[in-house]
Amino acid sequence: MKIKALVAGNWKMNGLKASAKEVKALARLIAKSPKKARCDVLICPPATLVSTLKEAAKGSKIAIGGQDCHANASGAHTGDISAEMLKDAGATYVIVGHSERRADHGETSEMVNAKTQAVHRAGLIAIVCVGETEAQRDAGETLTVIREQLAGSLPKGITAKNTIVAYEPVWAIGTGRTPTADDVAKVHAAIRAVLKKRFKSEGEAMRLLYGGSVKASNAVELMGVPNVNGALVGGASLKAADFDGIIAAYR
Ligand code: PEP
């Protein structure tokens, strides 16, 4: 099955209004490349920049997304932002369950499940992150952890259009270390099997991203792994030239 890839950038807690210049530069790089990239492109900035970057990306193929949302649409939740608000600001995707939120904010798979439903309620696409810690990997628990996170985090009735799964080994995020292509293939095959069993043809067509220290120099190898339909990129998404170097894996 042919699945259109997505190269998504997660800016985390980085970026000011001036960072709009990176989005404009990326749009220029994408447009002037002699070879068209066969992938979708997304940048998820801090919520404060969603509308600014949406404006900066006007006329380009770059979509803008959020990094998290509250499960409710509105209410007494000081400091939180809903999926509806992100949509109103110009987002079309929302990352949920990133390991930094699971670790820093104690987010459980049950909470991620509620957030995923909120993203769908708002008519947006959820990027649901799963991944094992180094200790879990060393204990040989990778697949057990991933299966548990998938079972808990994915609501029933999801589709290939409204949900993307990102496999991000926690120990590979921001460390410069990556699993081998074989290891990524094994985990992605296991994720695909879970999705196919639970969501049938929708699970077969769902995009599976790999994330964790993806950069231009390893993108071709990692993006060439079976069942890898794109990347979720942190550090290397902040600068237009670096991010374009990853998008180039699809040219
Ligand atoms: C991430 O935070 O989602 C990520 C993959 O980060 P990095 O690319 O910097 O490892």
Side-chain angles (χ1 to χ4, degrees):
M1 166 165 313
K2 187 88 193 105
I3 299 178
K4 190 170 191 199
L6 171 70
V7 176
N10 170 16
W11 279 14
K12 311 194 186 196
M13 199 171 73
N14 296 293
L16 299 170
K17 276 192 227 161
S19 317
K21 72 175 189 308
E22 294 299 333
V23 172
K24 288 183 181 158
L26 181 64
R28 281 195 298 273
L29 286 171
I30 291 172
K32 83 162 197 231
S33 163
K35 279 198 184 165
K36 230 170 135 195
R38 292 163 286 110
C39 62
D40 292 330
V41 177
L42 167 69
I43 292 179
C44 298
T48 49
L49 289 178
V50 168
S51 63
T52 305
L53 296 202
K54 181 75 182 177
E55 186 59 33
K58 224 179 201 162
S60 77
K61 68 183 269 179
I62 305 167
I64 304 299
Q67 297 176 9
D68 174 50
C69 67
H70 193 278
N72 293 353
S74 62
H77 303 288
T78 303
D80 281 317
I81 293 173
S82 71
E84 282 78 359
M85 291 168 175
L86 290 167
K87 182 183 187 180
D88 187 51
T92 43
Y93 295 72
V94 186
I95 298 170
V96 290
H98 190 282
S99 62
E100 285 153 16
R101 297 226 39 106
R102 290 182 189 256
D104 298 352
H105 300 270
E107 287 190 7
T108 61
S109 289
E110 199 184 347
M111 290 158 79
V112 176
N113 189 309
K115 288 177 182 223
T116 304
Q117 293 183 57
V119 174
H120 296 159
R121 181 190 64 220
L124 305 181
I125 301 166
I127 302 178
V128 183
C129 303
V130 296
E132 82 286 2
T133 63
E134 184 148 40
Q136 289 165 334
R137 175 189 184 234
D138 292 346
E141 295 168 358
T142 299
L143 294 184
T144 309
V145 168
I146 300 301
R147 288 188 185 113
E148 273 173 17
Q149 289 179 342
L150 290 171
S153 306
L154 298 176
K156 59 177 190 300
I158 60 170
T159 69
K161 277 210 169 74
N162 70 17
T163 308
I164 295 167
V165 172
Y167 168 56
E168 298 207 302
V170 178
W171 52 272
I173 294 179
T175 59
R177 297 162 59 205
T178 60
T180 63
D182 268 6
D183 286 344
V184 174
K186 278 190 193 111
V187 178
H188 277 240
I191 294 174
R192 181 67 72 203
V194 167
L195 296 177
K196 264 163 83 168
K197 191 162 177 217
R198 192 163 160 210
F199 304 107
K200 314 292 183 251
S201 59
E202 295 298 329
E204 213 168 328
M206 207 166 279
R207 295 198 269 199
L208 307 188
L209 311 184
Y210 166 77
S213 295
V214 177
K215 43 187 191 268
S217 57
N218 61 20
V220 170
E221 186 188 12
L222 288 167
M223 298 306 103
V225 172
N227 283 305
V228 172
N229 316 115
L232 182 53
V233 185
S237 70
L238 292 169
K239 292 279 169 231
D242 295 343
F243 199 39
D244 188 58
I246 294 168
I247 294 166
Y250 289 101
R251 286 197 179 103

